[in-house]
Amino acid sequence: MKIVEETHTRLQLKHQPLRNWFSGWCLFLACLSFLIYCLVFDSASVQITCDRLTQNQMNCELRRFNLLGSMEKLKMFDLQEAYILTKTGSKGGKTYQVIIMTPFADFALLSHVSYQENQEVTSKINNFINSGQTSLLVQQNERDYLFLLILFILIIMAIAAYFATSPVTTCTFYKSIDKVFIERKSWRGNQIIEHPLENILYFDIQEKQYKYSKLYRAVIVLKSLKQIPINPQYTDERNIRYAVSRIHSFLKL
């Protein structure tokens, strides 16, 4: 919070929530990037089709579809084996993914499909490899998982946008008309709060404990005991204490 103007009859302070803007926009852009990845680059479903040319020679095609309907085709030759790769997360959660081995490369299928579904796919592929079947069609789908993930991302983006558009607060004390005006401007709209100076009981400094530090904000306490934060967002102590001392000096409290 900064003092932008001080005269004998007027004192004006301004607070820009830089912390909220920075963290909000960073989170919003990170979520937007992840959303684009989920829509464009992540596979929502896969399909494998195979034809057996001879007993040991197979031509297969792996098709990957994203949520927007785009398709990527990959050729696979001479399948050797399919197995389930188990991954354990930092909190102990497990995910399962089918890996198809060929002499040239390994191909991974979807990573958020149940173990039972992966077992079925693995069994079908291995049966095809080890039997005399002439064709194979296997499909996997994780669209429901992606839709829930995208819904979660959109909720986080909405919260991030709320912080990124935190209002700029301008607090002006007028001795000539015996009033204080608090104006909050943002993309979400404007708000003006006004009260006579005689209604002010005192000024309070509120603190909030964060993980590694404390932050502060200045609050007007009215005679009705209603509290009106001058800066809704908490900031550093030195800044707030200096602003409150200048208010006291201006109003001669």
Side-chain angles (χ1 to χ4, degrees):
M1 186 159 56
K2 295 182 179 179
I3 297 172
V4 295
E5 184 179 357
E6 183 174 6
T7 67
H8 293 297
T9 59
R10 186 167 102 155
L11 174 66
Q12 187 174 78
L13 304 94
K14 191 173 187 178
H15 175 70
Q16 294 178 313
L18 300 179
R19 293 173 188 266
N20 284 24
W21 291 348
F22 179 77
S23 58
W25 281 117
C26 285
L27 182 58
F28 183 86
L29 293 175
C31 289
L32 180 60
S33 300
F34 190 45
L35 179 62
I36 293 172
Y37 172 81
C38 290
L39 291 173
V40 178
F41 300 104
D42 203 4
S43 298
S45 62
V46 296
Q47 182 184 79
I48 298 173
T49 55
C50 292
D51 293 310
R52 187 185 298 274
L53 304 179
T54 66
Q55 181 61 29
N56 297 319
Q57 188 177 6
M58 294 158 279
N59 287 345
C60 299
E61 185 176 75
L62 172 61
R63 296 182 178 183
R64 299 181 180 275
F65 302 87
N66 64 21
L67 285 175
L68 299 180
S70 297
M71 180 181 66
E72 177 190 15
K73 292 182 181 180
L74 298 172
K75 293 291 185 180
M76 300 187 297
F77 300 98
D78 304 333
L79 276 60
Q80 294 180 327
E81 181 190 6
Y83 67 94
I84 298 175
L85 176 66
T86 302
K87 298 179 181 179
T88 303
S90 58
K91 295 184 179 180
K94 293 184 178 181
T95 59
Y96 308 94
Q97 190 173 27
V98 174
I99 307 296
I100 302 173
M101 298 175 62
T102 74
F104 310 101
D106 293 347
F107 297 85
L109 302 189
L110 300 181
S111 58
H112 292 91
V113 178
S114 69
Y115 184 79
Q116 291 75 17
E117 290 182 59
N118 281 324
Q119 271 189 321
E120 292 177 9
V121 169
T122 303
S123 178
K124 286 181 180 180
I125 295 173
N126 286 330
N127 285 342
F128 172 76
I129 294 171
N130 299 318
S131 69
Q133 295 178 20
T134 57
S135 63
L136 172 71
L137 174 62
V138 172
Q139 294 177 319
Q140 279 190 331
N141 190 320
E142 62 178 22
R143 291 180 182 274
D144 290 344
Y145 164 79
L146 285 178
F147 282 134
L148 289 175
L149 179 61
I150 287 173
L151 177 61
F152 176 75
I153 294 172
L154 291 175
I155 292 172
I156 298 299
M157 287 179 69
I159 296 173
Y162 178 83
F163 283 99
T165 57
S166 295
V168 174
T169 298
T170 303
C171 180
T172 310
F173 295 89
Y174 291 96
K175 283 183 179 179
S176 56
I177 56 175
D178 192 36
K179 283 189 177 182
V180 57
F181 291 87
I182 300 175
E183 185 177 12
R184 310 196 198 280
K185 287 184 178 181
S186 73
W187 292 355
R188 305 194 300 265
N190 299 337
Q191 179 189 27
I192 298 177
I193 303 168
E194 67 173 274
H195 284 282
L197 294 179
E198 61 184 18
N199 284 356
I200 297 175
L201 183 61
Y202 64 93
F203 293 89
D204 190 20
I205 296 177
Q206 296 179 344
E207 66 179 45
K208 190 172 185 179
Q209 179 68 52
Y210 287 84
K211 191 172 183 180
Y212 299 110
S213 62
K214 290 182 180 181
L215 295 178
Y216 301 81
R217 69 178 182 180
V219 176
I220 298 174
V221 181
L222 302 178
K223 291 180 179 178
S224 63
L225 299 184
K226 180 180 178 180
Q227 297 183 355
I228 305 173
I230 296 178
N231 53 308
Q233 302 82 18
Y234 289 80
T235 186
D236 61 283
E237 180 180 12
R238 181 180 178 183
N239 195 316
I240 294 302
R241 292 197 182 279
Y242 177 74
V244 171
S245 69
R246 295 307 305 152
I247 294 172
H248 279 123
S249 176
F250 175 76
L251 297 178
K252 296 182 170 37
L253 295 178

